[in-house]
Amino acid sequence: MVDQNPQAIYLSPPPSAADGGGASKGGGFLGLFQMGRPKLRVTSEFDSESSVFFNRISCKLLDNLAKLKLTFQNDSKGEVLEPQVFLTSKFLSVQYDVEESDALLKASFEIVPGLQFRAAHEVKARQGEVAMVADLGSPAYKLELASAVPAVGMPRATLKFPLGEVSLEEKEEEEEEQKRGLSVNGIVKSHVLDGVCTARYSEENVELRYAYKDEQMTLVPSISLPSNALSCAFKRRFSLQTSSEISKVNFKALVIIYKPFEMPFSLSCTKFLSMSSYLYNFDTNNWSAVYKHTVGKEYKFKAGYDAEVRLGWASLWVGDEDGKAKTAPFKMKVQLMLQVPQDDIKSSALMFRVKKRWDI
């Protein structure tokens, strides 16, 4: 018997990729091969002193599992110089020099918890190094055994601890008799009297160095043994932010020297900051002075004089001097520098450097 009011049955078409159907994007192992074109980061920097463009193109692959980078230079004639290709991942990295047809391979991975393997190999030179690093009770204490490939002598042993490290290595004492001796190198650091004391031992020479630094002063005396060479560097800083703590004599001297840049105390130090400093080396009688004025993090003016090279200079930065181009306004950093030699003012030079980044 036939139904007089049949209900229509509609079959929907299979979901298309545009509607998000089918295989999930980025889900599972197959998702690594279904992603779109990776985003390119292009950075170009021009230095007027060398008249060379420094270029870098990079992108992340396989859902950020690896990074591919290409670097090269362009001279004034437009020729490509020193092209190099880098492929880096968590466990393996490859650096390929196109002009030399040479590659540097590096690998690093953890065999078991607390035991790490590291290796490096230069393809053209057919040499490299392998190393094993083991934790001794805690990650703060490590023992590293490293050997050159092909092996030459016993492996180098390095003991690392929170205050420094000590290494033992064989070295050739006299090439004619082919004798090998034991070389000891080490460094130890410790906090002493609000500063850092460093003792370094290398090739039977000892260097003792103490560094004290606060907001206004830096003092770095050092001595080398057995030569008994003594040196001491002293650096003093002045800033509007700490002007109330500076004696009147020092502040008056600062105003006389840098009067064109004097600013009222009511100015907000969180946005504007002027700072002056000078550095004196007692062993060489060389000294230098620097004035710095910043507006936020993006604009900085610096001027100074270096007595060792008898050169005065001034520099203007647009963009954080120590930051990356991606954090600067318009992703671009600009530096203008004027250098004035004291002995030949006519040979003064105005140079500039521009760095720009594009995200494609």
Side-chain angles (χ1 to χ4, degrees), residues 291-335:
Y291 170 81
K292 179 174 67 175
H293 176 73
T294 60
V295 180
K297 295 183 179 180
E298 309 299 342
Y299 304 95
K300 180 185 295 185
F301 172 78
K302 297 171 67 176
Y305 176 80
D306 192 336
E308 183 177 3
V309 294
R310 300 174 63 85
L311 180 70
W313 57 271
S315 178
L316 176 64
W317 276 95
V318 178
D320 189 1
E321 179 180 0
D322 300 322
K324 298 183 178 180
K326 68 177 182 179
T327 60
F330 305 104
K331 297 183 179 181
M332 182 173 64
K333 295 174 57 176
V334 180
Q335 181 193 14

Side-chain angles (χ1 to χ4, degrees), residues 52-226:
V52 173
F53 282 92
F54 302 89
N55 306 291
R56 182 179 63 187
I57 304 174
S58 63
C59 66
K60 295 182 179 180
L61 306 174
L62 303 177
D63 198 17
N64 297 336
L65 292 179
K67 182 178 181 180
L68 180 64
K69 181 173 66 174
L70 169 65
T71 64
F72 61 95
Q73 301 178 12
N74 291 111
D75 58 10
S76 57
K77 298 180 181 179
E79 298 180 356
V80 177
L81 306 175
E82 301 181 7
Q84 292 189 351
V85 181
F86 301 81
L87 179 63
T88 58
S89 63
K90 183 178 180 180
F91 303 107
L92 177 67
S93 66
V94 180
Q95 177 182 348
Y96 181 73
D97 191 327
V98 178
E99 292 182 347
E100 299 294 334
S101 298
D102 192 11
L104 174 62
L105 309 178
K106 293 183 179 181
S108 177
F109 56 88
E110 191 176 41
I111 301 176
V112 295
L115 182 61
Q116 187 177 19
F117 172 81
R118 188 177 68 245
H121 178 68
E122 298 180 20
V123 176
K124 203 168 186 178
R126 295 184 179 181
Q127 63 184 13
E129 183 183 80
V130 293
M132 299 287 289
V133 183
D135 295 344
L136 302 179
S138 68
Y141 296 86
K142 297 179 181 293
L143 177 62
E144 176 181 320
L145 297 178
S147 176
V149 178
V152 179
M154 299 296 292
R156 181 182 70 251
T158 303
L159 176 63
K160 300 181 180 181
F161 48 93
L163 296 181
E165 64 179 41
V166 177
S167 63
L168 303 177
E169 184 179 9
E170 275 191 337
K171 70 172 185 178
E172 294 183 0
E173 293 184 347
E174 298 180 6
E175 297 182 359
E176 297 179 357
E177 301 180 3
Q178 298 293 327
K179 291 184 178 181
R180 302 185 66 86
L182 187 63
S183 173
V184 181
N185 299 289
I187 181 173
V188 177
K189 293 184 179 182
S190 179
H191 291 274
V192 178
L193 299 177
D194 297 329
V196 178
C197 184
T198 304
R200 186 188 303 271
Y201 180 82
S202 177
E203 298 181 356
E204 299 183 356
N205 293 320
V206 178
E207 180 185 359
L208 301 177
R209 182 176 181 267
Y210 178 75
Y212 172 82
K213 182 178 180 180
D214 58 18
E215 295 181 354
Q216 300 180 12
M217 184 182 69
T218 300
L219 180 64
V220 186
S222 64
I223 184 173
S224 298
L225 302 173

